[in-house]
Amino acid sequence: LSAMPRHKRGRSSPRSATVDVLPSPRTSSPTLPGGMDARRFLRDYWQKRPLLIRAACPGIHSLLNRADLFALARDATVESRLVLEQAGDYPWQVQHGPFSAAQLRRLPNTHWSLLVQGVNFHRPRAAALLEEFSVIPNWRVDDLMVSYAVDHGSVGPHLDSYDVFLLQAAGQRRWRISNRVYGESDLVPDLDLRILGNFKHSRTWLLKPGDMLYLPPGVAHHGIAVGESITCSIGFRAPSNTELLGAWLDSGNIEETRLNDPNLGLQSHSGEITAQQRRQLRRLIRSALPNDANLDRWLGRHLTNLPASVPPPALGPALTAPAFLARLKRGDLLVRTTPCRTAFFIAGNGRAHLFINGAEFELPARSVALATQVTGPGRVQWNPRNDATSRREGAVLFALHRAGLLRFQD
Ligand code: SIN
Ligand code: CO
């Protein structure tokens, strides 16, 4: 999913672009960075209208600097793009990484940006930032894209079909958003990017480090760097039927079956597709889909798969099972390694299915608490009892440790 540049993906139905500006109330219930009550955000803004939150993440400036982003852009396992508004072979040229140090050094002083996708899969601190957004389900999270721009750098006015939090990390960026409804006919033809030709903004904000703008899908926007600027874009995904079906077909889980009709009788009209034949063909199509239980399990694996370009976590020095369990019993805390995508669900029989990076682990019904810890924000603490459930939990935690997915906190 994240292989395709988020701001180049298709568009969805436009939303109203009324905007609220959050003063900054703080509550003790789950909140968004900046303190808005999560229930209120989900009820009033999520997929509905933009929201500006000033000083949402005051500590964000230390997350990544230009040198870190350039280093990521030189790495072949990282997806990166340069958007050259003026300095390319044609306007708004997009070049794909990895880039050499010399290429990055040669860039002009204005009008370009470097977009680095999936930073959370490569930098633990970026993964930790995403945990601040855990009021949205893990599986809806696409990735953390970080853009570095010089003065006037921009990707042009455009629409995204995905929800996004645009968090200013360093420098300043001026965001313009529009309350107009735009469609395919508003796009400038033959460009590398889907740029809106007649973008007219209705609101403007200057975002400073720590400020954050939430945009629902379909709200046209244009962010222009004011001086050097680093912006984090926490992007979500909303799979479509065609994407999911395509992924299921590609998953190799289907045994191909073909129509057979040894009892084909003589038809009155050779042109007719008979009711029985239509039934048989419909059944053939539906036979490619598994039952609900197996479809759910595939969804868990599919939705937690890492992007294809991202290498799995390195296998660290694993402990033996007794040494591992002894440390857990002592109360030592486990942390997830990077890269990491997790989710779980409770099946109809009450058992918990835990998914990490596309791998599935089945846990007993009483292990839901463990699944919530492994997939939730923060660290994992395990208090074993002397029973079969705990033995299974210990075995799963050990398997995760051996696979390089969990390690003890230093
Ligand atoms: C966006 O508009 O979706 C992000 C662009 C950027 O960070 O440059
Ligand atoms: Co965008």
Side-chain angles (χ1 to χ4, degrees), residues 6-7 113 115 145-149 153-156 158 160 164 166 173 175 215 221-223 231-233:
R6 220 185 291 137
H7 70 268
S113 11
L115 311 183
M145 180 187 90
V146 184
S147 75
Y148 168 85
S154 148
V155 300
H158 65 278
D160 294 309
V164 66
L166 298 156
R173 186 182 282 265
W175 285 99
L215 293 179
H221 54 285
H222 189 192
T231 305
C232 292
S233 149

Side-chain angles (χ1 to χ4, degrees), residues 123-346:
R123 294 287 182 269
R125 291 186 58 215
L129 174 67
L130 286 190
E131 292 190 2
E132 311 249 333
F133 294 83
S134 61
V135 298
I136 314 292
N138 297 6
W139 71 266
R140 286 287 263 113
V141 176
D142 191 358
D143 71 344
L144 178 74
M145 180 187 90
V146 184
S147 75
Y148 168 85
V150 287
D151 193 30
H152 274 283
S154 148
V155 300
H158 65 278
L159 292 173
D160 294 309
S161 20
Y162 298 87
D163 306 83
V164 66
F165 287 100
L166 298 156
L167 172 56
Q168 190 60 23
Q172 301 184 1
R173 186 182 282 265
R174 180 164 287 114
W175 285 99
R176 296 186 170 140
I177 69 164
S178 176
N179 54 14
R180 293 196 183 192
V181 174
Y182 290 96
E184 292 291 314
S185 59
D186 298 303
L187 297 176
V188 182
D190 306 321
L191 290 182
D192 289 353
L193 294 173
R194 294 166 57 87
I195 291 194
L196 297 171
N198 51 356
F199 176 76
K200 300 258 181 328
H201 66 276
S202 45
R203 299 292 300 262
T204 301
W205 295 280
L206 184 66
L207 265 68
K208 303 212 167 114
D211 295 347
M212 183 164 82
L213 177 61
Y214 163 75
L215 293 179
V219 173
H221 54 285
H222 189 192
I224 305 165
V226 179
E228 258 190 324
S229 160
I230 296 180
T231 305
C232 292
S233 149
I234 295 109
F236 297 86
R237 55 183 175 175
S240 69
N241 53 356
T242 54
E243 282 164 10
L244 286 174
L245 265 178
W248 166 250
L249 292 176
D250 289 344
S251 69
N253 283 301
I254 311 164
E255 211 179 303
E256 191 172 65
T257 53
R258 196 170 290 284
L259 173 91
N260 55 68
D261 52 1
N263 299 324
L264 181 70
L266 182 64
Q267 295 185 190
S268 332
H269 311 286
S270 60
E272 186 181 4
I273 311 167
T274 65
Q276 193 214 338
Q277 288 162 355
R278 297 197 308 274
R279 206 165 32 245
Q280 201 180 0
L281 290 168
R282 288 196 302 263
R283 259 206 308 269
L284 192 63
I285 293 173
R286 292 193 179 114
S287 73
L289 281 177
N291 62 29
D292 283 0
N294 285 334
L295 192 53
D296 285 354
R297 294 177 57 200
W298 172 77
L299 281 169
R301 297 193 298 271
H302 170 67
L303 294 168
T304 57
N305 270 332
L306 295 173
S309 61
V310 176
L315 292 181
L319 300 170
T320 62
F324 176 79
L325 294 172
R327 283 196 66 174
L328 277 178
K329 284 182 188 146
R330 215 166 66 195
D332 287 357
L333 301 175
L334 288 166
V335 288
R336 287 169 294 278
T337 53
T338 304
C340 181
R341 249 188 185 152
T342 64
F344 80 92
F345 67 76
I346 315 288

